[in-house]
Amino acid sequence: MNYKSLITLLSELSGKSERAAREDVAHTISAITELLASGKKITIPGLGTFSTKEVEERQMYSPHHDEYIIAAPKRSVEFSPSTQLKEKLKDVRPADE
Amino acid sequence: MSEKVTFKELVEQIARRSKQSQSSTNNFIHELVKIIEKGLKDSGSVTISGFGKFELRWMNPRKSLHPKTGEQVSVPGQNKVVFKPFKNLRDEVNHPFAGLTSRVLKEAAEKFGDEAAPEATTFVSDTASKKSEDSDSLGGLLIEHENPRFQKTASEPEADSLQPAASERADELARTPDEEDQTEAETDQQEDGSSVAAPAPLLPASEEKALADEVQKAGSFRWSYAAAAILAILVFIILFFMYQQYQEASDTPEQAMPDLQGQPEQTESLPPSADAEQESAEENAASQTEPSPPGSGETQTEFETENFSVEPGQSLWTIAETQLGNPYLWPVLYHLNEDRMGNPNFLPVDSDIILPSISDPDHLNEFEREQVAHGYFKLYEWNVQNNPDEARFFLWAVGVFSSSLLDQPPSGVIQEDLEFARNR
């Protein structure tokens, strides 16, 4: 499902205009992004938990360049789906788009 | 760092941004979740622009051990929900570390490549401690400086200057346990107690690393083999194509030959290359194998022949083409004129050759086919002597014109060539 059809469905479900739905999604995204950027952990019921994880710098081997590198430390987004969502989607075999 | 935000706080945040009531925002998020779920169910993926992509990933059924009892249990296949953050989200989240890039560890590559295992192990332990020191000092810097750019410039030299100090410290720790408390106290003072963990995972980590590196080394070895193999295959393919092109191209010089050989000093003319022969004979095979028309049904025992005077620039191929109507019949000329030629590739100018009369070059009768086959067989014999690599193709052509000749092969046929000709 792409972003456009998501917005269309959302506006149908809520009775809002597509534009309003788009704005609402944008606000939600920016709020979540900002919270994640400040290192917070956000749980959305029915969907899952967004959190951040810090990876220390580490020594690794790059097979492409055939050299040993010290990979830069980073902080990345982690998502763990809620149990409800996992249970619901466990046995679904979606037809590929 | 991982402070929890309740759903209520999130709703408040969003409501403030969108200037809507909290209850409507709450409803909105539930609707959004519902739609994401529906999208995952229907199409297996949901893309939210500017944020990321939710995806279903099918995990195949597998066998696993029960964590408590240690029994083997089979885990059924199931979907996993994964979320892939898009670049802008990744960058936002990664902002404290933005601008940091990976460094190449040159000494490590050399050491691992050349020296024995124990030395490598000590080296790893050095880097292991250095690493944790580095990241700790980085952590300190992060708190002090909010600006990522400044941070980068500050952290790089710091990290470098730390290297020798760190390895020294690691050595001290390893050799003199008495001093350990002292050193630890020092580091505690310096870095708020965060580096206590540094000496602890020293040994296991180093062993693991050494192992992992050995594995990687082995991996790179195989890579080089694979690369060599691929290269060899490529070269082979290129050669094959060149060979094919050469075969195709060899038809053209044939046509142009009369012009080329118009000069009087050239007393010989070249027949077609053997390869071109095969290719085109193959094409012709279909028409050649058709039964000859009933009109020429009488059994023929000899050709009606006439003499033909060879002119400069002509070859058996061109004579067969112009006089007989089909260039692929040129072996019959060789068959009839063998005694005065010897080498089928050289045809003396101004000599007379015997020219058979062939009624219909596209539908040969039994006798004519046999004669052509005999011609090809003579060529085969000649090529066995002079050009053994390509001789078998002539034997194959024998079979195309007269399979009975192959069924009762005359003496002097190499068994391998015979099999090749029969199986083609």
Side-chain angles (χ1 to χ4, degrees), chain B residues 183-329:
Chain B
T183 355
E184 245 179 56
E186 274 175 29
T187 50
D188 278 6
Q189 278 179 350
Q190 283 174 356
E191 287 156 27
D192 266 321
S194 52
S195 74
V196 186
L202 214 73
L203 258 179
S206 64
E207 279 167 11
E208 256 176 42
K209 280 239 168 99
L211 245 175
D213 286 323
E214 266 173 41
V215 171
Q216 280 162 355
K217 232 169 77 181
S220 70
F221 241 101
R222 261 173 238 138
W223 268 110
S224 65
Y225 280 128
I230 289 168
L231 211 70
I233 290 168
L234 268 177
V235 168
F236 180 77
I237 290 171
I238 289 167
L239 282 176
F240 180 73
F241 274 111
M242 280 169 69
Y243 179 66
Q244 268 197 337
Q245 268 184 353
Y246 163 71
Q247 281 187 344
E248 280 164 23
S250 61
D251 274 344
T252 341
E254 225 58 73
Q255 317 291 340
M257 210 158 52
D259 300 327
L260 282 172
Q261 302 204 332
Q263 296 138 354
E265 62 260 33
Q266 265 177 308
T267 52
E268 295 156 347
S269 58
L270 293 170
S273 104
D275 309 322
E277 210 68 19
Q278 312 327 315
E279 290 298 313
S280 350
E282 201 166 356
E283 289 159 25
N284 262 32
S287 62
Q288 302 291 2
T289 44
E290 275 172 31
S292 44
S296 56
E298 311 159 22
T299 42
Q300 207 176 334
T301 49
E302 226 173 291
F303 280 121
E304 288 172 22
T305 58
E306 52 183 293
N307 281 346
F308 180 83
S309 160
V310 180
E311 287 166 20
Q314 282 183 323
S315 65
L316 288 183
W317 172 270
T318 56
I319 294 169
E321 188 174 19
T322 53
Q323 304 298 319
L324 303 183
N326 185 348
Y328 296 102
L329 302 180

